């Protein structure tokens, strides 16, 4: 097990360094930072002085090392567009995105798993067909369109929910949360539902497919042959085995949610990292893009590692073989 | 009274190219404590017969005719919930592959206790004691310790012992064992068969042993049913089936077994192949391959006819002699 | 033998198609959308890009069934007086073109790399699969966004063609992975079969073996993947365009149209954004349905 975790850690390191390298290359080769900082009309002397000051005249490896060292401390320089420290910008936006993603993930899981189980167990029933049709619709409906539709119906026509912003937020030790105020929940409803729908359909389809696969296995047949109740077979044996792969995908989906939040945040003007990123992309604000990229990669790596560790809890085959052989 | 009686069982698979009749008028019975071997080529309907008896035919397969009686009670038309109570409690089942028969995420103790408590009115502690005893009986050393282990911690042979323990957990009177040793090493096969035989004898349980291994049949069974193309070709006491088979197919099958006492250069083989279910010839299903075929075989389907000590579905044994 | 098998497959697939009303309807919708897009200049009632015909007096007209609507503009007009129906048809043309181009490129790249990885093995295989792992651990939309964003940063005042190039490239670079993986898996299986081994021993070139023996066996799954990928690619394109890093406003795809219309949602002109959205969903849904049906038809076990 230790070896497995070590291997995973090494893999995670490689991914992080690769992403950091990409981010670094963005800095280096996409647009000249000197031009960004000083404008087009600049004398060669000024340019050279700034280059030296920024360390841009040093060898590639040295520069990359500096970049890594800075990045490790969350230091990505200043936003080209807003002139504010990137780390400050991100820290401001981080809680909004995390809260949105978590609420959406919870929604997707709580609704998606039971729907998938039902669709697998009552295959061919009317409700299952309805679920499958909905899921196909969910896969075919782009997230931004879902958001627009929800705004049109619930914000513009009915006026039930607000369509932009976080509403009232409370700050607890630097973490701003909207989940402690009624207004905050009121504001998060539409974005969270929007973000959840696509994941929900994915989870539902995944659970259904895995469950059907598991229901075909010999051990389920043998469990039935032993006369176990349908309840024990479906919700004990089958569900437990279904959830093993579902855990991985759902874990990875959490990362997906944070990425998809870019779209949702744009539609609902949700002041999170996604909105920050898309604005950075539109204005070619490289430091913000690079920082976002590294942060997202870090979140993904952490999620992947957690999922791997969860596996040990769920699947006895991966635990240390206590019997020591046969 | 027989423990299990199967009468004119018909199993069909509806498909869009017409309905396939996978079992056709299969009839046999099993006495309490008896071991009935069921042999035949793959696709002859052996496993389907077993699945039909335990009520676990894979849809769209279904029983389209005939009856199955257990201890005199008809069970083929029971509602699912009642049939479930019979599975495990009255009829145990053992499948081919012990590697895939056990849930990898459940400890074997959990599976045993779960099975015992589903069928018997015992406490959890009692069920666990029973489970440990069962494991001991199946020859698993340090059962009290190993009960909490997971399937992957056991070897293939050991896992099949666990499967047998699970099948016997609620003390059924009949075990349907579908190729219980096919997936195992040859060296372990004999042990498992001997174990199964001993445990069932001790508990007075009857066994329906599905296999294509004539050696296993010869050593283990009291009677044998030979299946061909979804029908029973011949049924009778094991000694007679082996030594004086009455059906030409059985004769061919027996000739395929290498005989250590006789010097022979070539093994016998039956020409041709078993017909597919879509193309079973009229009359006797074996007639295209039969060396003694005559006109009646191509037109009329033979019932099981008395043929000395066995009964064979063959016109050669029609009273008054069928041969022209 | 192969001909007989193919015939059987054809008839089976054919039967499955004929007996599935969903597949029929989906095929019909996809066909109508496809033809309308292909022949847009002839099908569309107006040319939405012909600035001469645009009149501000016609701006923001509601669909024809409203009292203020006009029969000339069946689905209403946008803020510049462009006919929505025509804009949607032209937009679908661009969306479909970008989607199909990305899928074709993805298939070519993915299948080639998958064949190479599976057949040659060794470090090429190891490297490509690692790359796939990394790619797959990030959502496609994020990678595409990044590439599109970088593309914009590098060629800030780029020509329209280049913008589309970057767009297609960004979708392709995220799409090839699934093909590479599938093809590699099947190739590994095929490679170890006796007939391929025999062909190798008799000195048939690797390229020939891959083309003649391995490729035909992996086409089924690739076809299913590609069908569903068309829907995904179109949605990705629309999303990128909606976020402002996709098709330029001068040649608006469906996503661009939705982005433009989104600004008018609150002033009540819902049709500017909803009709392109409906078209997008119609295309994506019908293609997804076809893909689903195809997967089930090729793999009856799943039914």
């Amino acid at each position: 097990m230790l070896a497995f975790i070590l291997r995973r850690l090494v893999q995670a390191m490689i991914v992080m360094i690769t992403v950091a390298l990409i981010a670094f290359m963005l800095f280096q080769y996409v647009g000249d930072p000197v031009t960004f900082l000083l404008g087009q009309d600049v004398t060669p002397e000024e340019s050279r002085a700034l280059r030296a000051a920024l360390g841009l005249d040093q060898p590639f490896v040295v520069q990359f090392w500096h970049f890594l060292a800075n990045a490790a401390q969350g230091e990505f320089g200043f936003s080209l567009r807003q002139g504010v420290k990137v780390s400050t910008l991100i820290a401001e936006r981080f809680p909004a995105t995390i809260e949105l993603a978590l609420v959406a993930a919870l929604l997707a899981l709580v609704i998606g798993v039971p729907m998938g189980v039902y669709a697998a167990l009552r295959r061919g029933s009317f409700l299952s067909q309805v679920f499958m049709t909905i899921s196909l619709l969910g896969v075919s409906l782009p997230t931004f369109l879902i958001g627009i539709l929800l705004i049109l119906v619930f914000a513009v026509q009915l006026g039930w929910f607000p369509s932009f912003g976080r509403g009232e937020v409370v700050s607890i030790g630097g973490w701003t949360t909207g989940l402690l105020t009624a207004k905050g929940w009121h504001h998060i409803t539409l974005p969270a539902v929007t973000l959840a729908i696509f994941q929900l359909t994915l989870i539902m389809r995944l659970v259904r497919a895995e469950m059907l696969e598991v229901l075909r296995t010999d051990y389920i047949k043998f469990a039935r042959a032993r006369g176990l109740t349908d309840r024990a077979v479906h919700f004990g044996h089958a569900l437990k085995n279904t959830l093993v792969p579902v855990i991985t995908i759902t874990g990875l989906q959490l990362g997906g949610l944070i990425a998809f939040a870019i779209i949702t945040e744009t539609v609902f003007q949700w002041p999170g990292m996604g909105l920050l990123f898309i604005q950075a992309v539109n204005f070619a604000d490289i430091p913000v893009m690079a920082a976002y990229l590294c942060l997202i990669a870090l979140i993904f790596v952490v999620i992947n590692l957690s999922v791997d560790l969860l596996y040990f809890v769920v699947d006895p085959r991966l635990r240390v073989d206590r019997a020591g052989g046969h | 009274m027989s423990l299990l009686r199967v009468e004119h069982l018909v199993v069909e698979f509806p498909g869009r190219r017409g309905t396939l009749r996978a079992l056709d008028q299969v009839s046999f019975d099993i006495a309490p404590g008896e071991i009935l071997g069921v042999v035949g080529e793959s696709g002859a309907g052996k496993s389907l017969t077993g699945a039909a008896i335990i009520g676990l035919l894979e849809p769209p397969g279904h029983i389209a005719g005939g009856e199955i009686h257990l201890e005199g009670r008809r069970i083929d038309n029971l509602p699912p919930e009642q049939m479930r109570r019979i599975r495990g409690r009255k009829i145990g089942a053992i499948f081919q592959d012990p590697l895939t028969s056990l849930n990898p995420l459940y400890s074997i103790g959990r599976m045993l206790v779960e099975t015992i408590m589903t069928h018997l009115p015992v406490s959890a502690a009692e069920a666990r004691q029973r489970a440990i005893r069962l494991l001991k009986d199946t020859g698993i050393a340090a059962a009290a310790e190993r009960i909490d282990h997971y399937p992957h911690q056991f070897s293939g042979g050991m896992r099949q012992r666990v499967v047998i323990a699970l099948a016997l957990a609620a003390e059924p009177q009949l075990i349907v064992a579908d190729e219980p040793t096919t997936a195992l090493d040859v060296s372990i096969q004999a042990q498992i068969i001997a174990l199964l035989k001993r445990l069932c004898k001790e508990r007075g349980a009857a066994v329906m042993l599905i296999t294509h291994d004539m050696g296993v049949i010869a050593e283990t069974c009291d009677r044998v049913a030979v299946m061909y193309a979804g029908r029973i070709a011949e049924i009778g006491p094991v000694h007679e089936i082996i030594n004086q088979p009455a059906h030409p197919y059985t004769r061919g099958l027996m000739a395929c077994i290498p005989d250590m006492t006789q010097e022979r250069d070539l093994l016998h083989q039956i020409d041709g192949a078993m017909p597919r279910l879509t193309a079973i010839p009229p009359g006797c299903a074996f007639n295209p391959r039969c060396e003694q075929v005559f006109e009646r075989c191509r037109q009329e389907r033979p019932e099981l006819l008395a043929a000395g000590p066995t009964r064979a579905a063959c016109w050669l044994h029609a009273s008054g002699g069928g041969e022209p | 033998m192969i001909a007989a098998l193919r015939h059987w497959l054809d008839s089976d697939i054919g039967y499955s198609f004929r007996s599935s009303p969903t597949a029929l309807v989906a095929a019909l919708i996809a066909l109508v959308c496809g033809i309308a897009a292909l022949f847009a200049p002839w099908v569309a009632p107006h040319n939405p890009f012909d600035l001469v015909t645009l009149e501000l007096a016609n701006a923001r007209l509601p669909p024809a069934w409203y009292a203020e609507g006009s029969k000339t503009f069946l689905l209403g007009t946008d803020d510049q007086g462009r006919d929505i129906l025509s804009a949607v048809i032209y937009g679908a043309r661009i969306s479909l073109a970008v989607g199909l181009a990305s899928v074709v490129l993805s298939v070519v790249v993915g299948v080639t790399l998958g064949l190479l990885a599976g057949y040659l093995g060794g470090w090429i295989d190891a490297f490509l699969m690692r790359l796939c792992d990394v790619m797959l651990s990030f959502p496609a939309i994020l990678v595409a966004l990044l590439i599109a964003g970088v593309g914009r940063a590098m060629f800030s005042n780029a020509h329209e063609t280049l913008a589309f190039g970057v767009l297609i490239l960004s979708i392709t670079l995220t799409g090839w992975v699934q093909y590479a993986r599938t093809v590699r898996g099947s190739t590994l299986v095929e490679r170890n079969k006796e007939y391929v081994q025999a062909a190798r021993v008799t000195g048939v070139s690797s390229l020939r073996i891959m083309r003649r023996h391995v490729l035909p066996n992996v086409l089924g799954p690739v076809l299913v993947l590609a069908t569903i990928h068309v829907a995904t690619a179109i949605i990705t394109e629309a999303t990128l365009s909606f976020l402002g890093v996709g098709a330029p406003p001068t040649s608006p795809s469906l996503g661009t149209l939705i982005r433009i219309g989104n600004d008018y949602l609150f002033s009540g002109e819902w049709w500017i954004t909803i009709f392109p959205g409906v078209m997008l969903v119609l295309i994506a849904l019908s293609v997804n349905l076809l893909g689903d049906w195809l997967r089930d038809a090729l793999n009856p076990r799943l039914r």
Side-chain angles (χ1 to χ4, degrees):
Chain A
M1 177 170 168
L2 205 67
F4 176 82
I5 291 178
L6 264 171
R7 206 167 60 232
R8 285 306 185 156
L9 273 173
V10 170
Q11 270 179 15
M13 288 296 287
I14 294 174
V15 170
M16 281 311 296
I17 290 179
T18 314
V19 171
L21 189 64
I22 294 172
F24 176 65
M25 307 265 262
L26 281 181
F27 266 112
Q28 287 288 298
Y29 302 111
V30 181
D32 185 359
V34 174
T35 327
F36 273 127
L37 288 173
L38 298 179
Q40 294 288 347
D41 35 34
V42 54
T43 65
E45 288 76 38
E46 277 178 311
S47 164
R48 213 166 311 137
L50 187 68
R51 276 184 181 280
L54 291 174
L56 293 176
D57 54 347
Q58 286 175 317
F60 181 87
V61 183
V62 176
Q63 285 194 47
F64 184 47
W65 176 250
H66 282 302
F67 177 82
L68 276 185
N70 283 332
Q73 296 163 33
E75 204 55 67
F76 286 90
F78 288 84
S79 158
L80 298 179
R81 193 167 67 95
Q82 306 183 35
V84 185
K85 256 191 155 182
V86 174
S87 47
T88 319
L89 271 181
I90 297 252
E92 265 172 33
R93 303 294 194 98
F94 189 68
T97 297
I98 296 298
E99 280 183 3
L100 179 61
L102 284 181
V103 171
L106 215 63
L107 258 178
L109 268 179
V110 167
I111 303 172
V113 172
M115 274 171 87
V117 169
Y118 183 89
L121 292 181
R122 299 263 174 280
R123 197 154 58 121
S125 80
F126 177 72
L127 199 55
S128 300
Q129 308 257 352
V130 171
F131 283 172
M132 288 313 284
T133 314
I134 292 176
S135 86
L136 205 62
L137 203 65
V139 175
S140 308
L141 265 174
T143 307
F144 67 92
L145 207 55
I146 295 176
I148 290 176
L149 286 176
L150 288 180
I151 288 181
L152 182 64
V153 175
F154 293 102
V156 177
Q157 305 277 344
L158 299 173
W160 289 355
F161 293 99
S163 68
F164 63 89
R166 284 182 88 186
E168 202 177 319
V169 291
V170 182
S171 180
I172 304 173
W175 180 284
T176 55
T177 178
L179 302 183
L180 292 176
T181 62
K183 263 228 174 75
W185 280 101
H186 201 203
H187 275 79
I188 207 173
T189 307
L190 287 188
V193 169
T194 304
L195 192 52
I197 283 181
F198 182 73
Q199 309 297 327
L200 189 156
T201 57
L202 277 188
I203 289 176
M204 186 201 128
R205 300 191 117 205
L206 178 75
V207 168
R208 175 181 175 273
E210 286 296 337
M211 188 101 174
L212 285 176
E213 198 67 43
V214 169
L215 285 175
R216 264 195 295 269
T217 58
D218 283 353
Y219 56 82
I220 293 299
K221 206 172 131 198
F222 188 47
R224 285 193 205 287
R226 280 181 280 141
L228 301 185
T229 58
D230 279 357
R231 228 179 90 130
V233 173
H234 293 156
F235 299 106
H237 289 265
L239 191 59
K240 199 166 179 199
N241 281 279
T242 301
L243 288 183
V244 174
V246 169
I247 284 175
T248 332
I249 313 275
T250 313
L252 299 177
Q253 289 302 324
L254 197 65
L257 273 174
I258 292 173
F260 271 99
I262 297 173
I263 304 162
T264 316
E265 288 177 9
T266 308
V267 177
F268 290 94
Q269 293 298 301
W270 185 262
M273 292 187 297
L275 195 58
L276 184 71
F277 176 66
I278 201 68
Q279 284 160 351
V281 167
N282 273 315
F283 288 93
D285 193 344
I286 297 292
V288 174
M289 278 170 73
Y292 180 83
L293 184 66
C294 291
L295 185 62
I296 283 280
L298 183 67
I299 293 176
F300 269 77
V301 163
V302 170
I303 288 175
N304 278 343
L305 275 175
S306 326
V307 167
D308 284 337
L309 290 180
L310 249 177
Y311 253 2
F312 283 101
V313 181
V314 181
D315 195 334
R317 281 167 293 189
L318 295 174
R319 282 183 225 144
V320 186
D321 199 329
R322 282 167 299 175
H326 304 302
Chain B
M1 190 183 71
S2 56
L3 173 70
L4 179 82
R5 203 170 79 243
V6 177
E7 282 175 358
H8 307 295
L9 182 66
V10 178
V11 167
E12 289 182 343
F13 283 80
R16 63 176 162 81
R17 293 203 175 89
T19 299
L20 286 183
R21 187 166 274 213
L23 288 185
D24 196 356
Q25 306 283 341
V26 169
S27 304
F28 63 92
D29 48 17
I30 299 179
E34 182 186 42
I35 302 184
L36 174 76
V38 180
V39 282
E41 297 166 53
S42 33
K46 307 176 304 251
S47 298
L48 267 182
T49 312
I53 290 169
I54 58 176
L56 287 179
L57 283 170
E58 298 266 350
H62 63 277
I63 295 177
E67 293 178 7
I68 301 172
H69 295 261
L70 184 75
E71 297 177 309
R73 175 185 175 204
R74 188 168 172 190
I75 61 166
D76 59 276
N77 56 358
L78 287 181
E81 176 55 22
Q82 285 186 38
M83 192 59 210
R84 176 189 72 71
R85 289 175 198 278
I86 288 179
R87 275 197 299 274
R89 179 71 189 90
K90 301 276 183 189
I91 310 176
I94 298 170
F95 295 127
Q96 185 168 354
D97 192 349
L99 299 182
T100 57
S101 288
L102 300 171
N103 188 338
L105 302 188
Y106 275 47
S107 72
I108 60 169
R110 182 166 170 194
M111 282 186 274
L112 280 162
V113 168
E114 172 188 54
T115 311
I116 293 168
M117 291 186 68
T118 302
H119 295 294
L120 305 175
V122 294
S123 70
E126 245 175 287
R128 193 175 158 89
Q129 283 314 308
R130 268 173 184 265
I132 294 174
R133 224 174 310 134
L134 265 166
L135 288 178
K136 267 190 198 135
D137 286 351
T138 52
I140 288 174
E145 189 187 318
R146 302 220 56 178
I147 187 166
D148 290 321
H149 287 184
Y150 288 86
H152 72 278
Q153 292 165 300
F154 292 83
S155 68
M158 282 297 162
R159 280 193 226 183
Q160 197 63 312
R161 286 171 196 263
V162 173
V163 168
I164 291 174
L166 277 164
L168 291 169
E171 297 167 347
Q173 279 103 22
L174 173 68
I175 297 282
V176 175
D178 190 352
E179 309 258 8
T181 57
T182 311
L184 299 175
D185 278 357
V186 180
S187 54
I188 298 168
Q189 288 183 356
Q191 291 176 24
I192 295 293
I193 289 290
L195 175 75
L196 182 66
K197 190 172 176 175
R198 175 174 64 80
L199 290 178
C200 291
K201 189 152 274 170
E202 284 169 10
R203 288 164 172 72
V207 182
M208 175 175 159
L209 181 61
I210 298 165
T211 177
H212 56 254
D213 186 339
M214 285 306 298
V216 168
I217 294 278
E219 280 172 37
T220 320
C221 301
D222 302 313
R223 286 194 307 136
V224 185
V226 179
M227 292 195 70
Y228 186 80
R231 304 162 184 194
I232 289 189
E234 184 168 2
I235 185 166
V238 64
H239 190 261
E240 280 71 18
I241 292 274
I242 289 177
N243 293 312
Q244 36 179 313
H247 194 289
Y249 176 65
T250 318
R251 245 174 266 158
L253 208 58
M254 296 308 143
C256 295
I257 309 171
D259 191 340
M260 293 302 180
T261 59
Q262 277 179 314
E263 287 281 333
R264 234 199 241 165
D265 292 336
L266 280 175
L267 278 179
H268 182 84
Q269 65 176 41
I270 310 173
D271 291 328
M274 195 170 71
R276 280 183 301 163
L277 292 175
T278 43
I280 294 180
C284 173
F286 188 60
N287 81 59
R289 300 168 77 188
C290 185
E291 288 165 353
Q292 289 161 279
V293 64
F294 54 97
E295 201 44 43
R296 194 173 181 184
C297 307
R298 297 199 180 92
Q299 285 157 6
E300 259 180 278
R301 180 182 162 182
E303 291 291 308
L304 280 173
L305 304 166
T310 72
R311 296 198 302 143
C314 177
W315 287 124
L316 288 171
H317 303 284
S319 51
E323 214 151 1
Chain C
M1 179 67 198
I2 287 170
L5 192 74
R6 185 163 296 160
H7 179 75
W8 175 85
L9 244 175
D10 278 351
S11 68
D12 223 39
I13 295 279
Y15 177 88
S16 153
F17 185 70
R18 274 182 281 122
S19 60
S20 161
T22 336
L24 279 172
V25 172
L28 194 70
I29 294 175
L31 205 67
V32 169
C33 292
I35 288 176
L38 190 62
F39 298 104
W42 293 276
V43 177
H46 304 266
N47 181 354
F49 306 112
D50 187 357
L51 295 174
V52 184
T53 61
L54 295 186
E55 281 182 40
L56 277 179
N58 292 332
R60 299 160 91 168
L61 285 178
W65 55 87
Y66 279 76
E68 315 92 88
S70 153
K71 282 215 178 73
T72 12
F73 306 107
L74 202 58
L75 299 182
T77 59
D78 69 1
D79 57 318
Q80 293 168 45
R82 270 193 298 223
D83 176 40
I84 295 287
L85 177 60
S86 307
V88 164
I89 292 174
Y90 274 90
R93 180 182 166 100
I94 289 167
S95 288
L96 275 170
V98 172
L100 286 174
S102 315
V103 171
V104 169
L105 263 177
S106 301
V107 169
V108 171
V109 173
V111 170
T112 311
L113 291 181
L115 278 175
L116 284 177
Y119 196 82
L120 299 177
W123 68 267
I124 298 182
D125 183 35
F127 173 75
L128 281 173
M129 286 308 115
R130 274 302 80 135
L131 188 63
C132 287
D133 284 347
V134 174
M135 294 286 282
L136 280 181
S137 62
F138 294 95
I141 188 75
L142 187 67
V143 181
L145 247 178
L146 197 78
I147 297 167
V150 170
R152 284 169 75 85
M154 288 175 85
F155 326 100
S156 36
N157 317 313
H159 192 261
E160 204 172 272
T161 338
L162 198 62
F164 278 111
V166 170
L167 185 58
I168 291 171
L169 187 75
S170 67
I171 303 175
T172 303
L173 284 179
T174 53
W176 64 274
V177 178
Q178 45 173 342
Y179 302 103
R181 286 203 143 187
T182 312
V183 169
R184 173 186 175 266
S186 318
T187 307
L188 279 179
V189 174
E190 288 302 316
R191 186 177 73 154
N192 295 323
K193 285 195 177 154
E194 269 131 27
Y195 71 95
V196 174
Q197 296 289 3
R200 281 181 120 174
V201 171
T202 50
V204 182
S205 81
S206 298
L207 205 67
R208 199 179 147 83
I209 294 176
M210 284 196 267
R211 193 164 44 90
R212 290 285 300 278
H213 298 299
V214 183
L215 197 56
N217 285 300
V218 301
L219 284 184
V222 166
L223 191 65
V224 174
L225 283 179
T227 312
I228 295 174
H229 190 201
V230 170
T232 324
I234 288 174
I235 289 180
T236 308
E237 187 279 329
T239 305
L240 291 178
S241 295
F242 176 78
L243 293 175
V245 291
T250 39
S251 334
S253 73
L254 291 174
T256 323
L257 290 175
I258 297 171
R259 174 191 174 83
I260 297 170
N262 195 28
D263 296 338
Y264 298 94
L265 207 55
F266 287 94
S267 46
E269 283 106 14
W270 55 269
W271 57 89
I272 306 180
T273 192
I274 292 302
F275 287 123
V278 168
M279 184 65 165
L280 180 64
V281 173
L282 271 183
I283 296 177
L285 188 62
S286 59
V287 174
N288 265 333
L289 281 169
L290 276 178
D292 257 31
W293 160 80
L294 191 63
R295 186 188 53 207
D296 290 353
L298 288 177
N299 197 350
R301 199 172 67 95
L302 292 174
R303 255 179 293 183

